[in-house]
Amino acid sequence: KGSLLAKRMVVGDSALTVMGRSQGSMPLIVASSVGAFTMDFAHQTALSSIQPHRLITSGFLHGSLLHLAFNMRYLWTIPRFVEEGLGRPLYLSTYLASVVAGNLAHSSVASSGPAALGLCLGASGGICGMQGLMFVLLNRMGNKTASMSIFKNMIWLIIFGSLTPGISNAGHVGGFI
């Protein structure tokens, strides 16, 4: 069950995300993308135009363990037929292009004011891109029920993002498209 490349990305993404941070005087191991090293890799509208690597590297960083868990759960459940049918190079390039597309969509919405200084990170753009790819593949295979299930999941994600502060619906939609 699930794509082999996706499973490797889950392990790698988790390793990049978990780092040490202290709260008060007690050391704490948490998932944090706001550290001295990772700040140079998070997407920020105001900086990504002069540091384009942020459009990709931000897709491998997460702001919390919950954020990481949600993203890795969805990445883990992408069916193996997607990777095997497309081949690893196209699968991986679709994922990375979707991360970039999600970040560009976020930038188009958050182009000025305080929003341009906010960080955008996570694998959601890439995951939503894989969902969009499955939506198209299932439609072309004639499986309208499964493709509508993916579309409904996207609607729920947008509703959740609308109710939760700090979630970039533009990044999700940009990745899906």
Side-chain angles (χ1 to χ4, degrees):
K1 168 113 169 106
S3 159
L4 295 175
L5 189 57
K7 290 177 184 175
R8 289 186 185 123
M9 286 193 288
V10 166
V11 172
D13 210 7
S14 301
L16 282 174
T17 301
V18 176
M19 53 188 297
R21 181 173 75 177
S22 65
Q23 185 171 348
S25 61
M26 296 177 55
L28 182 64
I29 300 297
V30 297
S32 173
S33 294
V34 187
F37 174 73
T38 56
M39 283 300 290
D40 287 337
F41 299 102
H43 171 62
Q44 190 174 25
T45 302
L47 292 176
S48 289
S49 61
I50 57 172
Q51 296 175 335
H53 66 275
R54 291 172 177 261
L55 295 172
I56 293 177
T57 56
S58 63
F60 297 94
L61 304 173
H62 292 82
S64 70
L65 284 173
L66 183 62
H67 184 203
L68 176 67
F70 277 141
N71 278 277
M72 296 304 98
R73 182 215 173 264
Y74 273 97
L75 192 56
W76 194 269
T77 61
I78 294 172
R80 187 176 286 209
F81 81 84
V82 177
E83 180 183 346
E84 290 174 353
L86 296 175
R88 285 191 180 135
L90 185 55
Y91 179 90
L92 183 59
S93 62
T94 299
Y95 177 82
L96 293 174
S98 298
V99 167
V100 171
N103 283 324
L104 291 174
H106 171 79
S107 291
S108 70
V109 172
S111 60
S112 64
L117 299 175
L119 298 177
C120 181
L121 28 95
S124 301
I127 294 167
C128 288
M130 299 313 292
Q131 294 288 319
L133 178 63
M134 285 193 317
F135 176 78
V136 170
L137 291 173
L138 290 167
N139 262 327
R140 288 191 177 172
M141 292 180 346
N143 192 341
K144 304 289 184 198
T145 304
S147 66
M148 285 312 295
S149 176
I150 289 172
F151 188 73
K152 287 176 187 175
N153 284 340
M154 281 301 298
I155 297 298
W156 280 113
L157 180 61
I158 291 169
I159 291 169
F160 176 75
S162 298
L163 299 173
T164 308
I167 293 182
S168 175
N169 275 332
H172 293 145
V173 173
F176 186 79
I177 293 173

